[in-house]
Amino acid sequence: MRLIFFFVTLFVFNGCQQHTVKKEVQASTPNQSLPSLITAIEQCQKSPTCEEALNAYFKQFEETTQTEEMINDQADIEASSNPSLDAATLNQPLLANQRIQAALNEWLTWKRPILIETWHNYQFLKRYILPPFTEKNISEHFMLAIIAQESGGRVHSMSSAGASGLFQFMPATAQRFGVVGTLGDYDARYHPKTAAQGAADYIQEQRQLYGDDYAKILAAYNSGENRFKRLNRKHKNQSVWQSEFYYDLPRETRSYIASVLSAMLIFSNPDDFNVTLTPIDGHTAVIKARSDVSLSELAVCFGQHNQEMGWYRTLRNLNPTVKAKRVIKKGSPIVIPEILKPIYDSQCHDTALMVLAKKIHDADFPERPAFTYYRIRKGDSLSTISRRFRCATKTQIARMNNIKPPRYLINAGKRLKVPQC
């Protein structure tokens, strides 16, 4: 390109020189030969006006070229010095938020093991829980951050308030989004696929109100959509980070928003935060039990093969309808990581290790009565009792005690049979 400019310049000044000496010229053509150009330069140098103009042009051309080269060199240096951090992280407004910074410090220090555990658990659940979020164009990293905060990727997680499952649904919210019914030993909140569909539907509902304002979606998710809707209306739909709005939120919700958003940043760009999320083969296989066996016995058999922390949690996550104490009958299907299938085939039956595994399982989960007794207190209802024990629905308790619907009347002081967990 510069060579072209050089030749064009020579043509121009060739014309300038010939005009100066007042000679009639013909229009130059791109095919003019190099000897002709050299002759034109020599003639231009004999004219002070032409030579001065030519020298000034080349000086300006050189300065412009040097400036362009410096700009290009600086851009190359900046791009190579910190390409991903500048582009993907530092330009994100979230990272300038001091509350997000504080939450990042927690995830990157004492909460780091939760990040790693969540990542590991997710690799085996991804095929079940990601599709509904993908269909609704909800960020995978946002979904993963919610799981890290809510349950750490533990399917059977339960809070003291009664929220349950990967996404910690309360019973009323689960009911509203169709996460209902019983699947095996547990209700649908503990089933990854069903819970993920409900969570994606919930987030999509909030997006229709708040767009992609993740902070507001999280505030609704944690504090309750109706409560937050009132607060948002009170503060005229301004940012939740505005002090008056922010400190009007429940303390738990304030912490929750910052914690989830900071985890989202880490999952989006782990290298920028010096976090290693090792790729894991999450493929699974379905086996048929060769004999009566429990998940804990299989965990003993699999040991730490390719997984430092062992396989018990993964086995429970992949078989969400099975309680920990349950003995799975011979011939029943069990889902396991595919990489463990050769181990199961070769050493997880009729071995001394499996005899030991059965003995310690039976010691940890001895036979218990099918039910216990509860004395009804003033103000109790079958619904509150079922939530307190978390082992059966009010309908099951009513059936066990021959209590008739639809009123389900009970009297304080009487004893109820309540199913034992």
Side-chain angles (χ1 to χ4, degrees), residues 287-416:
I287 60 172
K288 286 190 175 182
R290 294 188 178 183
S291 58
D292 291 356
V293 70
S294 66
L295 296 179
S296 65
E297 291 168 56
L298 289 178
V300 172
C301 177
F302 294 143
Q304 294 168 260
H305 177 75
N306 279 13
Q307 169 54 28
E308 185 67 23
M309 300 302 294
W311 291 101
Y312 180 66
R313 178 56 51 189
T314 302
L315 290 173
R316 291 217 64 202
N317 281 354
L318 290 176
N319 299 273
T321 64
V322 179
K323 283 192 174 181
K325 69 177 183 179
R326 168 107 79 80
V327 174
I328 302 169
K329 296 299 182 181
K330 179 180 179 179
S332 299
I334 306 173
V335 183
I336 66 173
E338 190 173 64
I339 60 173
L340 297 179
K341 193 172 183 304
I343 306 296
Y344 176 78
D345 291 337
S346 63
Q347 65 187 48
C348 291
H349 47 88
D350 299 331
T351 63
L353 181 61
M354 290 304 290
V355 172
L356 173 63
K358 176 174 173 48
K359 183 178 294 186
I360 59 180
H361 167 269
D362 292 345
D364 195 25
F365 299 105
E367 289 297 322
R368 300 174 183 175
F371 60 88
T372 186
Y373 285 100
Y374 172 75
R375 191 169 296 279
I376 302 170
R377 303 171 185 172
K378 186 177 180 179
D380 277 341
S381 68
L382 286 189
S383 294
T384 60
I385 294 172
S386 67
R387 286 198 295 271
R388 183 178 295 127
F389 282 86
R390 302 175 186 167
C391 297
T393 65
K394 72 175 183 178
T395 304
Q396 291 171 325
I397 296 175
R399 190 181 300 120
M400 179 176 284
N401 292 274
N402 198 29
I403 299 172
K404 304 298 183 184
R407 299 181 66 188
Y408 296 111
L409 291 176
I410 57 176
N411 297 314
K414 297 290 185 179
R415 288 202 314 170
L416 281 180

Side-chain angles (χ1 to χ4, degrees), residues 74-329:
Q74 183 64 28
D76 291 340
I77 292 172
E78 291 175 352
S80 61
S81 63
N82 213 346
S84 62
L85 192 60
D86 286 341
T89 304
L90 290 183
N91 289 334
Q92 296 187 50
L94 284 177
L95 201 56
N97 186 311
Q98 192 172 20
R99 298 180 181 100
I100 299 292
Q101 294 169 5
L104 278 169
N105 183 63
E106 293 185 348
W107 283 118
L108 298 176
T109 53
W110 64 273
K111 288 172 66 176
R112 183 183 289 256
I114 301 175
L115 282 176
I116 307 307
E117 181 185 10
T118 300
W119 172 257
H120 179 273
N121 290 334
Y122 176 61
Q123 302 311 297
F124 295 96
L125 296 172
K126 184 174 182 177
R127 58 180 291 197
Y128 305 107
I129 65 179
L130 181 59
F133 292 91
T134 301
E135 290 170 6
K136 292 176 171 57
N137 197 29
I138 299 172
S139 165
E140 178 183 17
H141 301 129
F142 181 57
M143 175 265 291
L144 195 52
I146 292 175
I147 292 175
Q149 177 63 28
E150 294 285 5
S151 64
R154 297 185 174 203
V155 165
H156 299 95
S157 180
M158 178 187 296
S159 76
S160 58
S164 301
L166 277 179
F167 297 94
Q168 291 292 279
F169 272 120
M170 293 294 287
T173 307
Q175 183 80 25
R176 190 161 74 86
F177 287 93
V179 187
V180 294
T182 301
L183 301 169
D185 295 330
Y186 292 95
D187 70 57
R189 293 177 295 166
Y190 296 96
H191 195 277
K193 187 175 181 179
T194 308
Q197 184 64 61
D201 290 343
Y202 185 100
I203 292 171
Q204 182 63 19
E205 178 187 85
Q206 299 310 304
R207 286 176 81 189
Q208 292 171 358
L209 297 174
Y210 310 116
D212 283 331
D213 189 335
Y214 287 150
K216 289 190 174 182
I217 292 172
L218 292 171
Y221 194 98
N222 180 259
S223 66
E225 62 273 12
N226 292 328
R227 180 180 188 178
F228 180 73
K229 190 183 296 184
R230 291 192 296 271
L231 284 173
N232 189 59
R233 188 163 51 245
K234 172 184 174 182
H235 292 280
K236 299 179 180 179
N237 199 34
Q238 63 179 321
S239 169
V240 296
W241 301 113
Q242 296 292 326
S243 292
E244 289 186 4
F245 195 169
Y246 183 75
Y247 288 105
D248 215 4
L249 295 170
R251 180 187 296 272
E252 178 189 338
T253 301
R254 299 199 300 265
S255 174
Y256 181 85
I257 294 170
S259 186
V260 174
L261 291 180
S262 58
M264 181 182 71
L265 289 178
I266 296 172
F267 283 122
S268 299
N269 302 284
D271 291 343
D272 293 347
F273 299 97
N274 198 26
V275 172
T276 301
L277 300 178
T278 306
I280 297 172
D281 181 1
H283 288 89
T284 58
V286 179
I287 60 172
K288 286 190 175 182
R290 294 188 178 183
S291 58
D292 291 356
V293 70
S294 66
L295 296 179
S296 65
E297 291 168 56
L298 289 178
V300 172
C301 177
F302 294 143
Q304 294 168 260
H305 177 75
N306 279 13
Q307 169 54 28
E308 185 67 23
M309 300 302 294
W311 291 101
Y312 180 66
R313 178 56 51 189
T314 302
L315 290 173
R316 291 217 64 202
N317 281 354
L318 290 176
N319 299 273
T321 64
V322 179
K323 283 192 174 181
K325 69 177 183 179
R326 168 107 79 80
V327 174
I328 302 169
K329 296 299 182 181

